[in-house]
Amino acid sequence: MTEKRNNDAFSSNFGMIAAAIGSAIGLGNLWRFPYLVGQNGGAAFIIVYLIITLLICTPILLAEMVIGRRGGGSPRDAYIKVTGCKGWGAAGILGMLTCFMIMSFYVVVGGWTIRYLVMSIAPGFHRGAVLDSGAIFGGFVSSSFSPIIYSLIFILLTIGIINLGVQKGIEKTSKLMMPLLFVLIVLIGIRSVTLPGAQAGLHYLFKPDFSQFTFDSLLAALGQSFFSLSLGACMMVTYGSYTPRTSNLAKNAAIITVSDTFFALLAGCAIMPAVFAFGINPSEGAGLVFVTLPQIFTQMPLGGLCAILFFVTLFLAAISSSVSLFEVMTATIMDVGKTRRRTASSICAAILLFTGSICSLSQGALRSITIGGKNIFDQFDYVSSNILMTLGGLLAVLCVGWVIKKKIFIDEITDGGNIPVSKPLASALFFVIKYLAPIVIITTAISSIF
Ligand code: PHE
């Protein structure tokens, strides 16, 4: 515990923001967001996504931070301290299990990212991708051995950062990686929107077509907002506990949301115009990034360079999110098992290697094993994003809105009156946390069952 207390806090507010943005910006922005936009009516999806993110999810983000900073320690500790009730510790444990589940498929996709980065640097890749990028991708992910090795490399890189601790590992790498990510995605975006025929992609992104927007699209928008902002997995509870007392939590929540959403839109602008410029169907699905884009890169001027830049971006985004997921698990195991950081992170890595391998094999050798019609990989993605994260978010808002109450909430976001936050804003945020967010989460959960 002493080791945790001394080393585990962000050195500055900027460090906290960089790390939280690092967690938020990830495969969700580059891999999931563009294909969900493609499948759900383009701008119509974006508009609904923006409203949900701003109105519902930013206050949830704030609620998680309040719990973390008020309670301190691991998520389990934090929940117990702010509520004064041991039972609430289960919410922290649930967060850790959610992170395990997300990480199990995240490390697989992280491994694919490394593989594609290596391939994009190697000279033969572009010719090969023209021939049949779908077969290359399918052949790789369904093989038994090599995707697991790449996942292992991804896990080892994550653990390397985690073992350096919060300040020297998470904070330092995030401060370096986040600005770089924005520069890279802007560069790719400039190349993409200047391709002949790119306007059609921009139209698609920014001109709403509500005829393709269904109730399932609404659920997808809510799920994506949760996933992209890393909500409901105790990530913000954990990072909140490392945040300096003087930090303005409401402002931080706004900066994190705006940056994450802006990045998702930039990713859309980098991907969709190129997809349209080459006459490809935008609703390609999960293969968009690994199948469609390599095809496009091979055909466009400066495509080789863009491919490398794109896969570097994808890798940096994936590893910074993976670090945050890993940190929630490590912090909880350090707390529950009273172990040191290295021991806790090694335990997490060993379990992940096992669950990650199962997810990876479910793309090939274990394909025949399905649960509820989905293979294990897809089921892990579905259960974590659509069930566990929403449940975790619900527990966070119920805890702040109904257990710790308004006075403590205001005290925490104003640091006992030292930080000016306007009264109407504070009340509006609390109203959303107490009433609106739980109602939206519960009604969408119930209606998705029927
Ligand atoms: N927000 C990350 C992404 O967009 C995923 C994530 C979820 C990270 C939950 C941490 C916790 O890829």
Side-chain angles (χ1 to χ4, degrees):
M1 283 306 263
T2 350
E3 182 200 26
K4 184 176 193 308
R5 283 276 142 255
N6 295 340
N7 182 23
D8 289 0
F10 294 121
S11 69
S12 64
N13 192 47
F14 175 64
M16 185 274 166
I17 291 178
I21 294 177
S23 169
I25 293 178
L27 296 170
N29 304 60
L30 286 156
W31 173 59
R32 255 165 152 251
F33 184 76
Y35 82 74
L36 286 176
V37 171
Q39 286 172 339
N40 293 288
F45 180 84
I46 295 183
I47 292 172
V48 176
Y49 176 81
L50 290 180
I51 296 173
I52 291 178
T53 302
L54 194 77
L55 229 75
I56 312 285
C57 291
T58 311
I60 302 179
L61 184 70
L62 179 60
E64 288 202 10
M65 280 187 201
V66 165
I67 296 168
R69 199 176 62 178
R70 188 88 190 171
S74 76
R76 185 189 76 129
D77 244 11
Y79 266 104
I80 294 177
K81 276 200 199 123
V82 294
T83 57
C85 161
K86 275 210 153 175
W88 270 97
I93 302 292
L94 177 79
M96 181 196 70
L97 293 176
T98 308
C99 288
F100 257 118
M101 207 153 191
I102 299 173
M103 268 303 259
S104 301
F105 67 88
Y106 216 88
V107 295
V108 178
V109 186
W112 299 350
T113 307
I114 299 181
R115 170 73 185 137
Y116 270 73
L117 178 58
V118 172
M119 269 173 24
S120 67
I121 296 170
F125 172 63
H126 298 100
R127 224 168 313 121
V130 174
L131 290 180
D132 198 344
S133 62
I136 293 178
F137 178 67
F140 168 62
V141 302
S142 62
S143 61
S144 295
F145 192 60
S146 94
I148 294 182
I149 296 295
Y150 281 103
S151 300
L152 177 63
I153 298 173
F154 189 78
I155 294 174
L156 291 177
L157 291 171
T158 305
I159 211 178
I161 298 175
I162 290 289
N163 283 349
L164 289 173
V166 176
Q167 259 175 44
K168 293 196 197 110
I170 303 176
E171 182 173 346
K172 227 179 185 170
T173 48
S174 306
K175 279 182 181 165
L176 280 175
M177 288 197 284
M178 285 312 108
L180 185 61
L181 267 181
F182 275 91
V183 172
L184 287 171
I185 198 75
V186 167
L187 285 179
I188 302 165
I190 293 173
R191 170 66 285 206
S192 178
V193 297
T194 49
L195 287 168
Q199 290 89 331
L202 290 175
H203 264 200
Y204 184 76
L205 276 176
F206 297 111
K207 243 177 126 196
D209 171 12
F210 277 95
S211 67
Q212 279 189 49
F213 193 87
T214 60
F215 181 70
D216 281 348
S217 312
L218 182 71
L219 290 182
L222 184 68
Q224 172 61 13
S225 189
F226 260 74
F227 189 82
S228 194
L229 286 177
S230 311
L231 297 181
C234 286
M235 196 290 294
M236 273 298 158
V237 179
T238 309
Y239 279 11
S241 80
Y242 304 152
T243 304
R245 282 228 60 83
T246 48
S247 293
N248 183 338
L249 294 186
K251 196 166 152 194
N252 284 6
I255 295 174
I256 295 160
T257 310
V258 169
S259 311
D260 181 61
T261 310
F262 184 55
F263 191 92
L265 292 175
L266 284 176
C269 290
I271 293 172
M272 282 304 162
V275 167
F276 275 82
F278 288 93
I280 290 170
N281 178 6
S283 56
E284 177 61 48
L288 189 66
V289 160
F290 294 103
V291 177
T292 312
L293 287 189
Q295 233 161 25
I296 292 172
F297 289 139
T298 59
Q299 295 168 50
M300 72 189 205
L302 289 182
L305 180 65
C306 277
I308 298 173
L309 293 184
F310 181 78
F311 288 112
V312 169
T313 312
L314 198 60
F315 168 71
L316 292 179
I319 190 106
S320 56
S321 297
S322 151
V323 161
S324 74
L325 288 155
F326 211 98
E327 179 62 19
V328 176
M329 301 169 350
T330 308
T332 308
I333 291 186
M334 279 165 77
D335 166 35
V336 176
K338 302 277 172 278
T339 58
R340 291 157 56 87
R341 176 167 280 274
R342 272 170 193 274
T343 319
S345 63
S346 308
I347 296 172
C348 295
I351 301 176
L352 269 182
L353 184 60
F354 176 70
T355 52
S357 300
I358 292 183
C359 279
S360 179
L361 289 171
S362 77
Q363 301 282 330
L366 300 182
R367 190 179 283 141
S368 55
I369 302 178
T370 56
I371 309 165
K374 289 184 166 70
N375 70 26
I376 300 172
F377 180 106
D378 291 342
Q379 195 58 260
F380 270 43
D381 183 1
Y382 179 81
V383 171
S384 52
S385 351
N386 294 319
I387 300 173
L388 296 181
M389 292 178 89
T390 10
L391 183 61
L394 180 64
L395 289 174
V397 286
L398 291 180
C399 173
V400 173
W402 296 87
V403 183
I404 73 172
K405 306 267 170 63
K406 189 167 178 178
K407 195 175 157 302
I408 304 251
F409 172 75
I410 303 229
D411 185 62
E412 198 55 42
I413 64 171
T414 61
D415 188 24
N418 292 325
I419 296 169
V421 178
S422 83
K423 267 205 171 131
L425 176 67
S427 296
L429 287 168
F430 191 75
F431 175 81
V432 175
I433 291 172
K434 184 163 183 170
Y435 300 107
L436 196 59
I439 291 172
V440 170
I441 296 174
I442 292 170
T443 40
T444 38
I446 292 176
S447 24
S448 68
I449 298 170
F450 299 107

